[in-house]
Amino acid sequence: AKTILSGIQPSGLLTIGNYLGAMQHFVRLQDEADCYFCIVDYHAITLPQDPQELKENIRRLAALYLAVGLDPQKVTLFVQSDVPEHTELGWIMICQSHMGELERMTQYKDKSKKLKSIPVGLFTYPALQAADILLYQATHVPVGEDQKQHIELTRDLAERFNHRYGEVFVIPEPMIASFGARIMSLDDPTTKMSKSNPNENSYISMLDEPKVIEKKIKRAVTDSGHEIRFDPEEKAAISNLMTIYGQFTGQTMEEVEQHFKGCGYGQFKKELAEVVIDSLRPIQEKYREIYPSSELDRVLEEGAQKAREKAQQTLAKVKQALGVGLK
Ligand code: ATP
Ligand code: MG
C-alpha cells in the first residue's frame, strides 16, 4: 500500500501555485493511500516570522487543507511542532548529511543569496524535511517541481543510513505532476510563484478577494506580440497564465489556444480572472466556515496523536540501529 507524506510551510498565505502544484493532488490521493499532511512550522522559522502572524498562518493553512476537500476521517492532518519526533530525527539526519550536498541545494542558494547573514537552519532545513518524510515510512511524496531536489536528497540520506546501520527506512519517491507543477510569478515569469515573496502582486493567494484577483491578473506581465500561444521559451509570461487557465478548467494547451484564437491579451486576462475567481469561491466559502470552528482544533489534536504513534515507532527503530540511548 502507498503511504504519502507532504508538507506546506505556514510562511504566508497559500498561493494558487501551492494549490495547483501540490494541494489539488492531495484530495485525489486521500482515497488511494495512507496520507499524512503536515503544517511544517519548524520549516517556516528558518526565516524570521512574526509570532502572531505565524500562529494565524498555521490555522489558515489547516483550514485550507480541509476547505479543499481533505477528509480528517481519511487523512492525518497535523502540525509538525506538535510531534517532537520530527526535530529529534531531524538532528539525526543532519548528522548523516554532508556540507557539499546541502550546499548544492538550489532553494538554499536562491533563498540565501538575498540575505546579508544566513541562518544555519536555512542550510540544514532539507535534513529536517528528510526526517518529516522518513518518520512515516512514506513511499510517495507529492510535491511541486521545486522540491524534487530535496526528495532526491532524502533518498540519498535514507540509503546512506540503511547502508551504515541496517534497513530502517523506506526509500520514498517524488510524485510530481507532468503539468502545472511549476507556476511562475505574475511579475516575473523566470521565478517561481512563492507565498513568501514580499511583493503581493507576484502571486494570487487562495484567499484573495475577487477584486484583488482581477487587479493582480490585469497587472501581470505579458510578452511582446498579441497572440495567445503556448511557448514557454518565447512567450514565458503568457504561457504561465495559460497554464493557470488550463489547470483550473481542465483544458489542454491546444484547447486553450483554440478557445482564445483571435483574442487579445485583454480578453484572455478577463476570462482568466473569472475562471480563477469561480474556482476559488467554493474553497473560500468553506474556509470561512472552518477557520473559526473548534472542530478544527479537534482535528489537529487527533492528527498529532495519530502521527505521533507512527513517528515514535520509526524513531525507536532508528535509535536502536544507531546505538544511542540506554535501551
Ligand atoms: P516559501 O516561499 O515560504 O518557500 P512556497 O510557496 O514555496 O513558500 P512551500 O511551503 O515551500 O511553498 O511548498 C509547499 C508545496 O507547494 C510544495 O509541494 C511545493 O513544491 C509546492 N509549490 C510551491 N510553489 C509552487 C509553484 N510556484 N508551483 C507549483 N508548486 C509549488
Ligand atoms: Mg518553498
Side-chain angles (χ1 to χ4, degrees):
K2 272 191 204 161
T3 302
I4 274 168
L5 176 124
S6 200
I8 300 182
Q9 304 188 51
S11 49
L13 288 175
L14 255 70
T15 72
I16 55 170
N18 301 133
Y19 178 69
L20 298 177
M23 220 177 210
Q24 68 164 343
H25 303 295
F26 300 169
V27 183
R28 176 173 36 86
L29 290 166
Q30 70 180 335
D31 294 310
E32 295 170 16
D34 191 11
C35 291
Y36 293 87
F37 294 116
C38 188
I39 296 165
V40 286
D41 50 350
Y42 276 146
H43 291 298
I45 62 162
T46 52
L47 292 172
Q49 301 288 338
D50 173 77
Q52 252 174 338
E53 219 170 287
L54 178 58
K55 263 272 180 295
E56 204 174 299
N57 281 335
I58 290 171
R59 194 172 180 91
R60 281 175 170 159
L61 176 48
L64 272 174
Y65 268 117
L66 298 181
V68 299
L70 288 182
D71 177 352
Q73 304 288 338
K74 295 182 187 162
V75 307
T76 305
L77 176 64
F78 65 102
V79 181
Q80 183 188 30
S81 66
D82 285 342
V83 181
E85 285 73 14
H86 284 255
T87 39
E88 231 181 310
L89 185 61
W91 171 253
I92 296 169
M93 297 322 288
I94 285 175
C95 295
Q96 312 307 314
S97 311
H98 301 158
M99 295 292 289
E101 61 194 349
L102 294 183
E103 278 164 356
R104 275 197 297 278
M105 294 296 119
T106 55
Q107 179 184 292
Y108 166 70
K109 288 194 254 184
D110 287 347
K111 287 193 175 181
S112 62
K113 78 177 172 214
K114 298 170 199 145
L115 304 171
K116 275 202 220 91
S117 166
I118 304 166
V120 174
L122 195 62
F123 180 65
T124 60
Y125 139 102
L128 179 58
Q129 186 176 358
D132 301 338
I133 296 165
L134 299 174
L135 267 182
Y136 302 95
Q137 305 282 24
T139 56
H140 295 84
V141 189
V143 284
E145 177 70 39
D146 61 298
Q147 292 298 323
K148 187 163 182 242
Q149 199 185 22
H150 290 165
I151 312 305
E152 273 156 17
L153 176 79
T154 300
R155 291 168 60 88
D156 290 345
L157 296 180
E159 275 163 9
R160 189 174 301 154
F161 187 99
N162 284 355
H163 183 71
R164 277 189 192 154
Y165 304 107
E167 294 292 315
V168 173
F169 293 128
V170 169
I171 310 299
E173 266 177 55
M175 219 177 179
I176 298 167
S178 52
F179 196 61
R182 189 172 180 84
I183 303 296
M184 309 309 279
S185 293
L186 299 182
D187 62 334
D188 174 7
T190 65
T191 61
K192 167 184 104 60
M193 184 180 283
S194 291
K195 63 176 128 59
S196 65
N197 191 326
N199 176 9
E200 287 183 17
N201 288 316
S202 70
Y203 59 78
I204 294 171
S205 144
M206 289 179 72
L207 298 174
D208 275 344
E209 307 219 350
K211 281 247 156 9
V212 175
I213 296 176
E214 249 170 50
K215 193 191 77 193
K216 286 181 176 178
I217 290 179
K218 230 182 228 164
R219 278 177 160 225
V221 296
T222 48
D223 314 287
S224 55
H226 54 269
E227 259 179 308
I228 312 301
R229 179 164 55 84
F230 187 72
D231 182 347
E233 309 244 301
E234 294 292 316
K235 293 175 82 86
I238 285 296
S239 298
N240 184 46
L241 297 179
M242 289 175 74
T243 303
I244 296 171
Y245 187 94
Q247 282 285 311
F248 277 119
T249 57
Q251 290 179 20
T252 63
M253 290 302 98
E254 292 76 49
E255 287 169 327
V256 178
E257 277 177 1
Q258 203 55 40
H259 181 84
F260 288 105
K261 210 168 181 159
C263 289
Y265 291 161
Q267 179 63 24
F268 169 57
K269 281 184 164 183
K270 191 168 154 280
E271 285 192 39
L272 173 62
E274 280 165 17
V275 160
V276 175
I277 290 166
D278 287 345
S279 310
L280 293 180
R281 184 176 294 117
I283 297 173
Q284 295 183 348
E285 278 168 9
K286 260 187 143 173
Y287 168 86
R288 283 193 286 269
E289 271 170 44
I290 297 166
Y291 183 88
S293 73
S294 56
E295 169 73 5
L296 183 58
D297 300 273
R298 207 183 50 80
V299 166
L300 293 175
E301 273 163 37
E302 282 184 15
Q305 246 170 37
K306 253 175 77 191
R308 226 181 151 186
E309 277 169 33
K310 177 76 189 175
Q312 278 172 342
Q313 284 175 16
T314 308
L315 188 64
K317 282 189 206 158
V318 170
K319 289 170 85 171
Q320 171 86 39
L322 268 176
V324 299
L326 195 57
K327 282 181 268 171

